[in-house]
Amino acid sequence: MTQDFDFDAVVVGAGAVGLACGYALSQRGLVVAVLEAEGHIGQGVSSRNSEVIHGGLYYPTGSLKARLCVQGRRRLYAFLDAHKVAYKKCGKLVVATSDDEVARLDAIWDQALANDVEGMERLSGAQAVALEPGLNAHAALLSPESGVFASHDYMLALHGEIEAAGGAVVIGTPFEGAAPLEGGGFSVRAGGAEPTTLTCRLLVTAPGLSAQDVADRIEGFPKEQIPKAHYGKGVYFRLMGKAPFQRLVYPPPIHGALGTHYRNDMGGQAVFGPDLEYVPAPDYSVDPARAQAFAAYIRKFWPGLPDGALTPDYAGVRPKIHGPDEPQPDFQLRGADSHGLIGLVALFGIESPGLTSSLAIGEAVADLLESAG
């Protein structure tokens, strides 16, 4: 570590992506501090998602989402194996529930091939139903590389790797602000029970829902380079009873999200969600009355859903950088060419497939910092 700095790098946010950034930097020989405002790692966006490992089917050709999802998924399975983190590579069915949805499957098929997604299969409705009896399917795509995993155990493994490399993950330590230093690097102010100021050569901000607020607290960060924050709430309902399918089941995507889907979680229970509702501020309440709309949507692909079988589970909020009527943008990994601050990478809009992509995002961030000197 350079003697002039307390740490080679500071990462703001100890969710999956922040920890993966810290891990990538530590694997390059840097001593890293990860600052987390909450009392535990992974308490924000990373604690309220589907824990799905995405294949990389949907994302536009050449986008960061397409490239980093596929790369991240390949790295993720290897990391989970090496660290003995539980997962189920159960596969995913993308299902057309009527003839007029089949053309949408054709577009997803073409996109998956363009994105170099391995093992994709086209299935007739009968073939899909043979795999998952009880399904309503006119046609389907099978992505065998998709799965679910124990995301918190994954984050604990990243945490352990950072500390094993001589770094630190510091909880209960909110980021208060940062300023560039003469000659390079940053002074970072951290709050909490023991407020402190520390110095670093490199700074990465990956705080999920707080990305805009954190960027606004960095001296010299151009305000016009901070994208407007939008909050995309999604709720989940759990099935009371035996899980009907082993594989993930997804309808064709909706505008701005992948749509309300089915998963058999790591505990073997059936969970449906998330839906999408734009809200003015993060809100984690689940209205039991939404079960009726959920049930109607679910019965399109599972007509056998029993009446009254859904129970409210939890809600998550996606850190979106587009409104409900705007096109969905790519991941934003903002380096010095965007904001002019050498040694800083600021992340915005890291929603799905951010969890799957996290290891590849970490490598991309490390590459950006390395290329900037």
Side-chain angles (χ1 to χ4, degrees), residues 311-337:
T311 185
D313 199 8
Y314 64 101
V317 178
R318 310 155 173 94
K320 289 186 172 292
I321 52 175
H322 69 288
D325 300 318
E326 298 169 349
Q328 190 166 16
D330 203 359
F331 290 151
Q332 300 293 306
L333 280 54
R334 302 279 184 89
D337 59 341

Side-chain angles (χ1 to χ4, degrees), residues 45-346:
V45 176
S46 298
S47 69
R48 297 171 173 273
N49 57 64
S50 298
E51 296 192 305
V52 168
I53 301 174
H54 290 288
L57 284 61
Y58 309 101
Y59 313 108
T61 306
S63 66
L64 287 176
K65 286 184 177 179
R67 178 168 62 85
L68 299 181
C69 183
V70 173
Q71 290 178 359
R73 184 243 307 154
R74 293 169 181 165
R75 288 175 172 158
L76 182 57
Y77 280 125
F79 184 95
L80 300 179
D81 282 331
H83 294 81
K84 296 181 170 54
V85 175
Y87 67 88
K88 296 189 291 188
K89 192 187 278 190
C90 55
K92 173 169 75 172
L93 290 169
V94 185
V95 176
T97 60
S98 61
D99 285 336
D100 59 7
E101 290 183 337
V102 172
R104 297 174 67 189
L105 292 193
D106 293 339
I108 295 169
W109 170 265
D110 291 342
Q111 193 63 69
L113 297 187
N115 292 353
D116 196 28
V117 179
E118 312 93 318
M120 292 294 298
E121 295 182 45
R122 302 185 80 146
L123 305 179
S124 67
Q127 289 172 317
V129 172
L131 288 178
E132 296 287 5
L135 196 64
N136 171 40
H138 286 237
L141 303 178
L142 174 62
S143 168
E145 291 296 317
S146 301
V148 295
F149 73 120
S151 63
H152 196 74
D153 290 344
Y154 163 62
M155 289 185 281
L156 287 172
L158 291 170
H159 183 173
E161 286 282 4
I162 292 166
E163 293 192 334
V169 178
V170 191
I171 59 174
T173 308
F175 172 86
E176 299 289 352
L181 295 170
E182 274 191 54
F186 298 88
S187 171
V188 177
R189 302 190 313 279
E194 299 180 11
T196 188
T197 298
L198 49 88
T199 59
C200 57
R201 181 167 61 87
L202 306 172
L203 178 60
V204 178
T205 63
L209 294 171
S210 302
Q212 285 77 3
D213 179 59
V214 165
D216 194 47
R217 292 169 180 259
I218 299 172
E219 290 183 23
F221 199 109
K223 306 299 184 188
E224 67 274 12
Q225 290 297 327
I226 302 176
K228 181 176 171 56
H230 299 270
Y231 303 108
K233 179 180 176 179
V235 301
Y236 294 82
F237 281 81
R238 190 169 294 269
L239 178 73
M240 295 182 289
K242 183 180 176 182
F245 311 120
Q246 292 304 305
R247 294 165 184 82
L248 295 156
V249 179
Y250 278 65
I254 61 174
H255 181 71
L258 295 183
T260 300
H261 57 262
Y262 161 89
R263 79 181 190 274
N264 183 332
D265 71 10
M266 292 301 298
Q269 291 188 297
V271 181
F272 298 91
D275 59 358
L276 175 60
E277 175 191 10
Y278 280 83
V279 292
D283 167 21
Y284 299 106
S285 63
V286 181
D287 181 359
R290 294 183 82 93
Q292 186 174 354
F294 260 69
Y297 192 92
I298 292 162
R299 287 194 176 105
K300 292 179 181 179
F301 61 82
W302 183 32
L305 171 67
D307 290 337
L310 298 178
T311 185
D313 199 8
Y314 64 101
V317 178
R318 310 155 173 94
K320 289 186 172 292
I321 52 175
H322 69 288
D325 300 318
E326 298 169 349
Q328 190 166 16
D330 203 359
F331 290 151
Q332 300 293 306
L333 280 54
R334 302 279 184 89
D337 59 341
S338 166
H339 49 64
L341 298 173
I342 295 172
L344 168 67
V345 174

